[in-house]
C-alpha cells in the first residue's frame, strides 16, 4: 500500500479522495479502461490501472442485453457500479450516471446511491430522459437551466454527506447546437460546482485542443470511443492536448465481442472452442480472486481449502 492509498492515520483513503488526488496534478493524465462486468473489471485490475470506468453502454449490453437507449435504470446502474467498485476499493471507479434519472430530487437520490455504493466519480449529462449513446445521432437536450439543476443537486448531496465524490459534467450539445453552446453549458456547470468537464462527440483534434484551452485550468475528460464521432486520439496525444482524464468505454467490450464470437463460431464449425491450454478453470477463477478468497478462509480458521483446490 502506497502513501496515496492511506490517510495520515494509516487508514485506507476513500476511493473518491484518492481520485481527487490523482486529478490534482495538472501535468498528469488519468487513463481509465472501460469495464462492463465483474470479469472485465477483474482483468483490468490484474493488468494494473490507476482507475476504472464503468461504461453505461457496456452495462446495458452485459446486464440487459440491450442497446444504450436509456433502458438501464438507476437500480441496474447502481448495483453494477457497487459490484465493480468493491472488487478492489483501492482503485477508484468512475461511473456513468446518464441523466441522473429524473429531476433534482431524483438526481440527489442517484448521487446518494452511488456514494454509498463506493463510486469515486460519475458523469451526468444534458440529454433528455429518453437518452441514447453519445456517439449516435438524433440526440435531444434539456435546457441549460435543467442541466445546471442536475449538477447543483449532485454537488449539494456531496456536501451534505461530506463526500469527496467527483462530479463530472457532460454536455452532448456539440452535435446539435454547436461548439459555443456546448462551451456555455460547460461553463455554467463549472459555476455550479462540477469538478471536471466532459465535451461529448468532439469531431477533430483541433477542436479538442481548443476546448481544453477555452476551459483551462478546469480539468477536461476525453471520451475515446474508437470508430465513433471523435477521431482516434491516443493516450500520448490526449496528454499533449492537455486532457486530465481519458476513458475508453469499449476497451473491454469490443475485444470481448470479437473473442466470444470467434470462439463460438469455432465451436459451431469444429465442435470445440480450442482455448489455450493455460486457460484452465483454476486460472480463470484466479483472475476472479480465488487465492484471496482461500486466504480469507484460512486466516479466519476455516478448513474448507486446506487441502487445496
Amino acid at each position: 500500500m502506497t502513501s496515496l492509498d492511506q490517510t495520515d492515520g494509516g487508514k485506507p483513503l476513500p476511493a473518491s479522495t484518492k481520485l481527487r488526488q490523482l486529478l490534482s496534478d495538472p501535468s498528469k493524465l488519468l487513463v481509465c479502461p472501460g469495464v462492463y462486468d465483474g470479469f472485465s473489471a477483474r482483468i483490468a485490475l490484474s493488468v494494473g490501472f490507476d482507475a476504472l470506468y464503468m461504461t453505461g453502454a457496456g452495462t446495458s449490453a452485459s446486464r440487459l442485453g440491450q442497446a444504450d437507449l436509456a433502458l438501464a435504470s438507476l437500480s441496474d446502474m447502481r448495483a453494477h457500479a457497487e459490484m465493480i467498485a468493491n472488487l478492489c476499493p483501492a482503485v477508484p471507479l468512475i461511473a456513468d450516471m446518464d441523466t441522473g434519472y429524473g429531476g433534482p430530487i431524483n438526481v440527489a437520490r442517484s448521487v446518494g446511491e452511488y456514494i454509498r455504493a463506493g463510486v469515486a466519480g460519475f458523469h451526468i449529462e444534458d440529454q433528455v430522459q429518453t437518452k441514447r449513446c453519445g456517439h449516435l445521432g438524433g440526440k435531444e437536450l434539456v435546457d441549460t437551466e435543467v442541466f445546471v439543476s442536475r449538477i447543483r443537486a449532485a454537488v449539494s448531496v456531496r456536501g451534505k454527506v461530506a463526500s469527496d465524490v467527483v462530479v463530472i459534467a457532460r454536455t452532448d450539445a456539440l452535435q446539435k447546437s454547436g461548439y459555443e453552446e456546448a462551451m456555455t453549458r460547460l461553463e455554467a456547470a463549472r459555476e455550479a460546482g462540477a469538478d471536471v468537464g466532459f465535451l461529448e462527440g468532439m469531431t477533430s483534434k483541433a477542436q479538442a485542443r481548443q476546448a481544453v484551452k477555452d476551459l483551462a485550468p478546469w480539468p477536461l475528460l476525453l471520451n475515446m470511443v474508437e470508430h465513433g464521432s471523435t477521431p482516434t486520439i491516443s493516450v500520448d496525444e490526449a496528454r499533449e492536448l492537455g486532457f486530465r482524464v481519458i476513458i475508453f468505454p469499449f476497451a473491454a467490450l469490443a475485444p470481448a465481442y470479437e473473442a466470444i464470437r470467434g470462439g463460438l463460431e469455432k465451436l459451431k464449425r469444429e465442435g470445440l472452442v480450442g482455448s489455450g491450454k493455460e486457460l484452465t478453470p483454476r486460472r480463470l477463477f484466479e483472475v476472479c480472486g480465488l487465492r484471496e478468497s482461500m486466504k480469507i478462509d484460512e486466516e479466519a480458521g476455516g478448513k474448507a481449502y486446506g487441502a487445496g483446490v
Side-chain angles (χ1 to χ4, degrees), residues 114-162:
Y114 271 44
I115 290 172
R116 288 187 290 275
V119 171
F122 56 83
H123 59 77
I124 298 179
E125 67 201 53
D126 57 357
Q127 288 195 55
V128 297
Q129 296 302 319
T130 51
K131 60 146 289 177
R132 64 194 64 187
C133 170
H135 290 257
L136 295 177
K139 294 182 290 185
E140 296 292 334
L141 307 178
V142 297
D143 293 339
T144 301
E145 291 76 12
V146 174
F147 174 45
V148 172
S149 75
R150 294 173 180 175
I151 303 301
R152 286 201 193 101
V155 172
S156 176
V157 172
R158 178 181 66 193
K160 288 177 181 177
V161 300

Side-chain angles (χ1 to χ4, degrees), residues 50 53 59 89 96 124 139 160 180 225 240 264-265 275 281 297 307:
D50 290 331
Y53 172 67
T59 299
D96 191 346
I124 298 179
K139 294 182 290 185
K160 288 177 181 177
E180 294 303 323
V225 177
E240 189 275 327
L264 295 179
E265 287 179 342
S275 300
D297 184 80

Side-chain angles (χ1 to χ4, degrees), residues 53-54 56 74 77 95-101 106-107 109-115 119 122-125 131 154:
Y53 172 67
M54 186 193 85
L74 168 60
M77 298 289 280
D96 191 346
M97 196 188 279
D98 293 322
T99 62
Y101 311 105
N106 306 82
V107 172
R109 176 171 179 257
S110 301
V111 172
E113 293 272 351
Y114 271 44
I115 290 172
V119 171
F122 56 83
H123 59 77
I124 298 179
E125 67 201 53
K131 60 146 289 177

